[in-house]
Amino acid sequence: MATPALAEPAKPQKSTVVQAKKKTAEARTSAKKKVVARKKAGQTEEEKALAAQEKAKARQEALEKQRQAKLAAMRAKAKADADARRTAFLGSKETARGAAAKEKPGKKGKAAEVAVAEQPKRSTFRILFGDERKPEPEQSQPVALRSAKPVTGLTAERIAAQKAAAVGAETVVRSGNNGELRSGEVGNPQSGFFQVLFGDEPAGTNLLPETRALDSVLEQKQQTKGRFKLRPEYEAQTVAFSGYPRGTIVVDTANHFLYLVESAGTARRYGIAVGREGLQYKGRVTVGDKQEWPRWIPTKEMQQREPRKYGQYKDGMPGGGQNPLGARAIYLYSGKQDTYLRIHGTIAPQSIGTNASNGCFRMTNEHVIDLYNRVRPGTPVVVL
């Protein structure tokens, strides 16, 4: 009996295998492309973010440059205005002296005349050692004054100078000081003999009209509201102190004192407020500049630390009764570089004796005016 033939299994067609392999390869390729595309997309987003950051940074830098240029222009204009008023003020004084010199003694001038008693000259030796009494002033008879008439010559210039000075003073009282006031530049009168010998009196200053006007407002305010009463140790006083050359300012931050060395064994001491923790400076600097009723511009660091508080003053705050720098500011430099450290007045006298500032040294307005009149640019300052 014949054995039946077994049927052979059907072989897959060649075309079907090829197609399956092709589809698998295409799927892998597609997956790789998607991965690459996702990576590229991610890189593109990062690049876009970086580009946006760079653009924002460039914009901020451009705005900062514009702001600095604007501030520089404002300072230049303010300085030019202050110089013009100062020149006018000096011109009025020189004209007045010239007019007074032209009037001959013994004759009536065109302005009102007042009799002045001559005093005998006193020798320097007798002034020093008290061998001579101060002469009693002679009683002079009252003189009838006639109505003053305009002085011939530079009358128009004198009137213009007086008006300019008055306008400047009214402006700073009304809207604050936007210039740079330095009465010391007008010219200090010659120091007295005792001051030259012993240096125990502040240098006299011929105050600018703007400074005088703002000082008067401060004085009236203190008379109305009363002067803030400091603790006794923080009042200005002469104390025993040594170790530094005469004329040096020494700041004792730990004890909240500022010393102005007056001699080998004494110093004038004032109470101060110093920088908060982390904002204190230690080292040696010098007085680089001095200004009366100065404008105030918070530093960039202050604006970054407290933007809500200081950001509104990024373009500056006029000098005056509400300005945190107070009545005077002494600018501290390292060489020719401004350190942004200041010895200045304050509108918060209750902070004296504490760590309350952003790094500067606060004094009461009365104390800083006193110190301001005693120091000059170039004075060494040691901060302990």
Side-chain angles (χ1 to χ4, degrees):
M1 185 173 174
T3 303
L6 298 173
E8 294 183 1
K11 294 181 179 180
Q13 294 181 358
K14 187 176 181 180
S15 59
T16 304
V17 175
V18 171
Q19 287 177 359
K21 289 182 177 180
K22 186 177 180 181
K23 285 181 179 180
T24 302
E26 287 176 352
R28 288 176 180 171
T29 303
S30 176
K32 287 181 179 179
K33 286 182 178 180
K34 287 180 180 180
V35 171
V36 172
R38 282 197 297 269
K39 287 183 177 179
K40 285 185 177 179
Q43 289 176 353
T44 304
E45 291 299 325
E46 290 179 3
E47 290 173 355
K48 285 182 180 179
L50 288 173
Q53 289 178 3
E54 291 294 332
K55 188 176 180 181
K57 184 179 178 181
R59 186 168 177 272
Q60 287 294 332
E61 289 178 351
L63 290 174
E64 181 64 19
K65 285 182 180 179
Q66 291 178 2
R67 190 178 77 87
Q68 292 296 336
K70 182 180 177 183
L71 288 175
M74 289 172 61
R75 291 192 192 101
K77 184 178 182 302
K79 186 175 181 181
D81 292 344
D83 288 342
R85 290 194 297 271
R86 186 179 294 113
T87 302
F89 177 67
L90 287 174
S92 66
K93 293 191 67 179
E94 290 297 330
T95 305
R97 290 196 196 100
K102 287 181 180 179
E103 293 182 359
K104 296 181 180 179
K107 294 184 179 180
K108 294 182 180 180
K110 294 184 179 181
E113 297 178 352
V114 179
V116 179
E118 292 185 2
Q119 296 183 359
K121 295 183 179 179
R122 303 172 66 196
S123 66
T124 302
F125 183 87
R126 291 183 176 182
I127 292 174
L128 273 178
F129 300 102
D131 291 339
E132 182 179 333
R133 287 185 177 181
K134 185 177 180 180
E136 294 285 336
E138 296 180 3
Q139 297 292 330
S140 58
Q141 296 296 326
V143 179
L145 301 180
R146 295 184 299 173
S147 58
K149 296 181 180 180
V151 180
T152 58
L154 301 177
T155 304
E157 287 80 352
R158 289 181 62 189
I159 293 174
Q162 291 170 356
K163 285 183 177 179
V167 168
E170 291 174 2
T171 300
V172 297
V173 170
R174 184 174 60 255
S175 57
N177 171 42
N178 283 297
E180 296 182 355
L181 303 178
R182 298 180 181 87
S183 294
E185 293 184 358
V186 175
N188 293 335
Q190 290 184 351
S191 302
F193 189 75
F194 279 103
Q195 184 180 340
V196 173
L197 269 183
F198 307 110
D200 56 352
E201 296 179 7
T205 54
N206 200 354
L207 295 178
L208 291 168
E210 297 91 337
T211 302
R212 195 181 300 278
L214 289 171
D215 284 355
S216 298
V217 172
L218 174 64
E219 185 177 355
Q220 291 172 7
K221 182 178 179 181
Q222 290 177 341
Q223 289 177 352
T224 303
K225 295 186 176 181
R227 179 177 175 272
F228 181 82
K229 189 171 180 60
L230 294 170
R231 287 166 54 181
E233 63 267 31
Y234 294 135
E235 291 288 357
Q237 54 196 287
T238 299
V239 297
F241 191 79
S242 61
Y244 295 91
R246 176 185 166 189
T248 303
I249 294 175
V250 181
V251 180
D252 182 355
T253 57
N255 295 305
H256 305 98
F257 290 133
L258 182 148
Y259 298 86
L260 175 62
V261 180
E262 295 180 324
S263 68
T266 62
R268 189 166 181 81
R269 190 182 74 186
Y270 308 86
I272 59 172
V274 300
R276 300 193 299 268
E277 190 67 30
L279 300 176
Q280 295 182 357
Y281 170 87
K282 304 291 174 66
R284 291 177 176 265
V285 288
T286 57
V287 173
D289 190 15
K290 296 166 50 184
Q291 291 186 36
E292 298 132 27
W293 295 102
R295 280 173 50 81
W296 172 62
I297 303 176
T299 64
K300 194 177 245 184
E301 291 76 13
M302 291 169 66
Q303 296 179 43
Q304 290 172 351
R305 280 196 304 268
E306 300 178 75
R308 288 188 179 181
K309 185 175 181 180
Y310 298 118
Q312 59 185 318
Y313 303 119
K314 64 180 181 179
D315 293 328
M317 181 181 185
Q322 301 302 316
N323 190 303
L325 293 185
R328 302 289 189 273
I330 299 171
Y331 297 74
L332 305 182
Y333 280 54
S334 177
K336 295 183 178 180
Q337 185 72 32
D338 187 358
T339 64
Y340 296 99
L341 290 172
R342 312 283 186 256
I343 301 171
H344 60 79
T346 184
I347 54 176
Q350 67 275 11
S351 66
I352 300 301
T354 67
N355 295 16
S357 77
N358 280 284
C360 294
F361 309 112
R362 295 180 189 172
M363 306 176 71
T364 64
N365 285 322
E366 297 88 344
H367 289 178
V368 79
I369 290 173
D370 182 71
L371 179 67
Y372 185 97
N373 292 337
R374 294 172 183 270
V375 302
R376 296 182 177 181
T379 297
V381 181
V382 180
V383 184
L384 304 176

